Amino acid sequence: MSKKIVATEPNPAAEQRLYRVVAAKIQDLIREENIKPGTRLPAERDLAAKLSVSRASLREALIALELSGIVEVRGGSGVYVSEKASAPSDVTEGGPGPFEVLAARRLIESEVAAIAAKMATDSAIDAILRAAAEMEQHHSDRATNEQADRNFHLAIARATGNTALVGVVETLWNQRGTMWHKLKEHFQTEELRQNTLDDHRNIVAAIAAHDAAGARQAMRAHLERVTKTFSRG
């Protein structure tokens, strides 16, 4: 007689986001070392070494703790324990962290750009150019610039002629939640914004030239640079 196999539900704990694990470690450290509200935490490099985590994971965790009111990130000064830190609290963010999303985008959008370079029609290239021009035109208007950035990446996806890929890119973009925007608020610089415009010009040039390898490399270089900037500051 065969044994009946019973399906089990996924274990939420096994799927816990890394930044939530790191955030819990930071809260444990605050309690165990009795770090008082208003006190600055160790520098990021030292804290990452102390907790044996990467700078990127640490930074995600600190942003999540800031959004939960447990720490306060003061630009140019450091990270401080907030008045709420003594009360039991949980990290409110539940979706993928910014660096998870960037890693997925690096993998997927690099190939999307390569396919776009092969498949793009003149009208599709014009749409990409318009989105890039709009981003440059509204460089100083952050909200409009953000929308133009989204339009640029979606225009590249549409240039592939594959609606499933458009949906994937749009989903990845929509996963840039409150943690992403808070991270960008703290670590976005004018230099990064100018570099992004340069990156986009390189991507457009490769796609317009139907250079698949060049488009792939230009997109990957763009997303790698953003990742490095946001993880290292």
Side-chain angles (χ1 to χ4, degrees):
M1 185 175 179
S2 61
K3 183 183 288 187
K4 185 177 180 180
I5 298 175
V6 179
T8 58
E9 292 295 321
N11 180 0
E15 300 174 359
Q16 190 173 28
R17 306 288 181 191
L18 179 58
Y19 68 81
R20 295 177 69 90
V21 174
V22 178
K25 287 185 176 183
I26 295 170
Q27 291 188 82
D28 288 344
L29 179 72
I30 291 170
R31 285 191 293 269
E32 289 167 6
E33 299 197 359
N34 195 27
I35 303 175
K36 301 297 184 183
T39 303
R40 189 170 73 87
L41 292 177
E44 282 190 6
R45 187 184 302 277
D46 297 334
L47 193 55
K50 189 179 186 71
L51 299 176
S52 300
V53 299
S54 70
R55 288 281 295 278
S57 296
L58 177 70
R59 186 158 285 183
E60 283 185 333
L62 290 171
I63 293 295
L65 290 172
E66 181 185 20
L67 289 169
S68 301
I70 298 165
V71 302
E72 179 185 353
V73 179
R74 302 177 189 172
S77 177
V79 181
Y80 292 77
V81 179
S82 76
E83 296 298 329
K84 293 183 179 180
S86 58
S89 186
D90 190 24
V91 174
T92 55
E93 188 85 4
F99 296 108
E100 269 189 283
V101 175
L102 279 168
R105 290 184 62 197
R106 223 169 32 244
L107 178 69
I108 293 167
E109 290 197 54
S110 296
E111 292 307 311
V112 167
I115 296 169
K118 295 177 184 177
M119 304 298 297
T121 62
D122 288 346
S123 61
I125 292 171
D126 286 343
I128 297 170
L129 285 167
R130 282 196 301 272
E134 183 183 5
M135 195 170 177
E136 299 208 25
Q137 181 183 356
H138 298 287
H139 179 70
S140 59
D141 182 340
R142 297 206 173 185
T144 306
N145 184 272
E146 173 94 358
Q147 183 61 46
D149 194 4
R150 176 192 177 100
N151 292 343
F152 176 79
H153 287 274
L154 286 175
I156 292 171
R158 292 188 187 102
T160 67
N162 186 320
T163 57
L165 288 176
V166 177
V168 170
V169 172
E170 188 165 26
T171 296
L172 286 171
W173 192 275
N174 291 341
Q175 287 181 322
R176 297 176 10 144
T178 51
M179 279 180 61
W180 167 268
H181 292 292
K182 181 59 73 172
L183 183 70
K184 189 175 180 180
E185 177 186 317
H186 284 310
F187 302 107
Q188 174 80 291
T189 63
E190 181 59 27
E191 181 182 8
L192 175 61
R193 295 170 72 214
Q194 289 290 346
N195 287 340
T196 294
L197 294 179
D198 291 338
D199 289 350
H200 282 194
R201 294 184 194 109
N202 293 336
I203 294 166
V204 171
I207 293 174
H210 299 288
D211 177 3
R216 179 187 294 111
Q217 179 54 38
M219 182 65 79
R220 183 181 293 124
H222 167 52
L223 293 170
E224 284 176 350
R225 187 183 52 71
V226 173
T227 301
K228 183 177 179 180
T229 300
F230 283 172
S231 61
R232 294 293 178 183

